[in-house]
């Protein structure tokens, strides 16, 4: 089974994805973590690395090709903003998590122990960069609600739900789809 979980930063996709993969007994892969690891390898913070990636589109392409190759191994949950778009029919179940910006920023600020204003600036810059890069590279608009309804099997607003409630909703929908 190949499952994708997508959403903007701070929607809960990594936390939910790790729990889901464990509960389903499948592997877990995160492009967000791969992005952070590459930044660290290059001795850059996220802002510096985001600027670097804007000038080096081959990095996005390399990360995205890795998703496709990993998906072909099967039995995996892929946590990535683009995985549903890149994998299309190869994925068995595609999930999108949404959440208002202020809640997402607050979550990430707390998680990373970074001041709210700093996390807001970093996230706005990173997401703006990603939106433009993905439009340019793949002609994908991550904020197109019409496309979301066509592409995803399940869309969940995580604002008022606990992690367990989100995981339970997803497991129920997967069970219904694969009876």
């Amino acid at each position: 089974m190949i499952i994708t979980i997508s959403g903007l930063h701070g929607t809960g996709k990594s936390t939910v994805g790790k729990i889901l993969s464990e509960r389903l007994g499948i592997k877990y892969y995160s492009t967000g973590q791969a992005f952070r690891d590459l930044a660290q390898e290059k001795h850059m913070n996220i802002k510096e690395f985001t600027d670097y990636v804007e000038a080096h589109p081959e990095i996005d392409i390399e990360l995205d090709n890795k998703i496709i190759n990993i998906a072909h191994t099967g039995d995996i949950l892929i946590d990535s903003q683009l995985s549903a778009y890149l994998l299309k029919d190869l994925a068995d179940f595609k999930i999108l998590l949404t959440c208002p910006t202020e809640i997402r920023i607050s979550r990430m600020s707390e998680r990373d122990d970074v001041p709210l204003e700093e996390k807001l600036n970093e996230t706005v810059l990173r997401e703006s960069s990603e939106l433009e890069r993905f439009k340019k590279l793949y002609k994908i608009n991550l904020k197109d609600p019409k496309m979301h309804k066509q592409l995803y099997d399940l869309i969940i607003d995580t604002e008022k739900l606990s992690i367990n409630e989100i995981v339970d909703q997803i497991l129920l929908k997967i069970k219904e789809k694969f009876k």
Side-chain angles (χ1 to χ4, degrees), residues 6-13 81 96-97 104 127 142-143:
S6 303
L8 294 174
H9 306 288
T11 55
K13 64 187 176 299
Q81 290 190 61
L96 176 66
L97 302 182
R104 295 186 304 108
E127 288 179 356
L142 292 179
K143 292 193 172 185

Side-chain angles (χ1 to χ4, degrees), residues 15-94:
T15 303
V16 170
K18 288 173 188 171
I19 294 168
L20 271 176
S21 69
E22 189 175 297
R23 299 258 306 262
L24 293 167
I26 60 177
K27 297 174 293 223
Y28 171 81
Y29 177 79
S30 166
T31 54
Q33 187 59 54
F35 189 89
R36 289 187 290 279
D37 291 346
L38 282 174
Q40 191 172 21
E41 284 174 26
K42 294 197 176 288
H43 307 289
M44 297 180 188
N45 63 34
I46 292 297
K47 182 196 179 313
E48 292 166 337
F49 192 60
T50 297
D51 292 342
Y52 179 81
V53 172
E54 284 179 3
H56 295 88
E58 67 274 8
I59 292 171
D60 277 323
I61 293 167
E62 181 183 328
L63 285 171
D64 299 337
N65 284 334
K66 192 171 185 178
I67 290 170
I68 295 165
N69 292 333
I70 287 171
H72 283 287
T73 67
D75 289 333
I76 191 161
L77 186 144
I78 299 176
D79 162 0
S80 163
Q81 290 190 61
L82 294 181
S83 56
Y85 294 90
L86 296 173
L87 299 177
K88 297 178 182 130
D89 294 335
L90 183 59
D92 299 300
F93 197 80
K94 299 183 259 338

